């Protein structure tokens, strides 16, 4: 007799492993610097936080040092791989004296091994004007005809200026070609006095 034996079956399983990298946090822009006038109202600036890695990212943002004129919202969150979020950074210059004010926004991954520092500078400036000449002194005869003189106004500061001109006390015999205007830094205006 002939006996046939079936070949033994063979199963092969191939398993692939992908080693995911760490989350990678990026922040844009990388610095915030603004020049404002004393008394400027609060304003918002968008900052983008993105997870450049292949695994989820938990992040937070803090001020270093903490200051009263700056805030951020949200102050943390969760980002899937490749996802991004907009953080609203609010500047509030109200009450700040003229000068340079600074802090750093530290964006940190939950693991604590990645920190992106964004330097923040708020330059607060008071308006500065020069007026020339500083006075007028004329002697005229009774019944003299009208004549003109020029007054030069210059913005010598770093921020735009709105100027106003008024008589104190008011004089019926004097008039001005302009009583208000706006000047960019370094610009000037001429007012004709009659």
């Amino acid at each position: 007799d002939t006996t046939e034996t079936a070949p033994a079956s063979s199963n092969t399983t191939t398993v692939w492993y992908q080693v995911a990298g760490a989350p990678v946090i990026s922040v844009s822009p990388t610095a915030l610097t603004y020049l404002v006038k004393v008394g400027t109202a609060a304003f918002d600036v968008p900052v983008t936080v993105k997870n450049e890695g292949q695994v989820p990212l938990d992040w937070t943002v803090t001020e270093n040092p903490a200051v009263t004129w700056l805030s951020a919202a949200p102050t943390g969150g969760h980002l899937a791989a490749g996802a991004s979020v907009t953080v609203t950074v609010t500047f509030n210059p109200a009450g700040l004296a003229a000068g340079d004010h600074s802090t750093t926004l530290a964006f940190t991954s939950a693991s604590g091994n990645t920190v992106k520092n964004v330097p923040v500078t708020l330059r607060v400036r008071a308006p500065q004007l020069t007026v020339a000449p500083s006075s007028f002194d004329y002697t005229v005869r009774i019944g003299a005809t009208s004549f003109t003189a020029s007054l030069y106004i210059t913005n010598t500061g770093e921020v735009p200026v709105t100027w106003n001109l008024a008589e104190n006390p008011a004089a019926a015999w004097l008039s001005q070609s302009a009583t208000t205007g706006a000047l960019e830094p370094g610009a000037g205006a001429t007012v004709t006095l009659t």
Side-chain angles (χ1 to χ4, degrees):
D1 293 345
T2 302
T3 301
E4 295 182 3
T5 303
S9 62
S10 175
N11 293 325
T12 301
T13 301
T14 301
V15 179
W16 293 92
Y17 292 94
Q18 180 178 8
V19 179
V24 179
I25 186 172
S26 69
V27 182
S28 179
T30 57
L32 300 173
T33 301
Y34 292 93
L35 174 65
V36 299
K37 287 189 291 188
V38 170
T40 296
F43 60 95
D44 295 335
V45 176
V47 173
T48 301
V49 179
K50 185 175 182 180
N51 180 4
E52 303 279 4
Q54 298 177 339
V55 295
L57 165 70
D58 291 312
W59 63 274
T60 58
V61 58
T62 56
E63 302 166 14
N64 183 25
V67 292
T68 58
W69 49 267
L70 190 74
S71 62
T75 56
H78 178 85
L79 289 175
S84 62
V85 66
T86 297
V87 175
T88 300
V89 177
T90 301
F91 290 79
N92 188 8
L96 288 180
D100 291 346
H101 306 268
S102 61
T103 186
T104 298
L105 288 174
F107 293 84
T108 308
S109 64
S111 60
N113 58 1
T114 304
V115 179
K116 295 293 184 181
N117 289 318
V118 176
V120 180
T121 302
L122 185 60
R123 302 175 62 203
V124 181
R125 297 293 185 266
Q128 294 181 346
L129 285 177
T130 60
V131 178
S134 59
S135 65
F136 292 95
D137 187 1
Y138 294 102
T139 301
V140 297
R141 293 189 310 235
I142 294 175
T145 60
S146 63
F147 61 96
T148 61
S150 295
L151 182 68
Y152 302 98
I153 303 172
T154 305
N155 181 356
T156 55
E158 298 179 61
V159 292
V161 172
T162 298
W163 58 267
N164 296 284
L165 178 62
E167 302 168 11
N168 184 23
W173 48 267
L174 183 66
S175 63
Q176 306 85 32
S177 61
T179 57
T180 187
L183 293 174
E184 293 297 316
T190 301
V191 177
T192 300
L193 306 179
T194 302

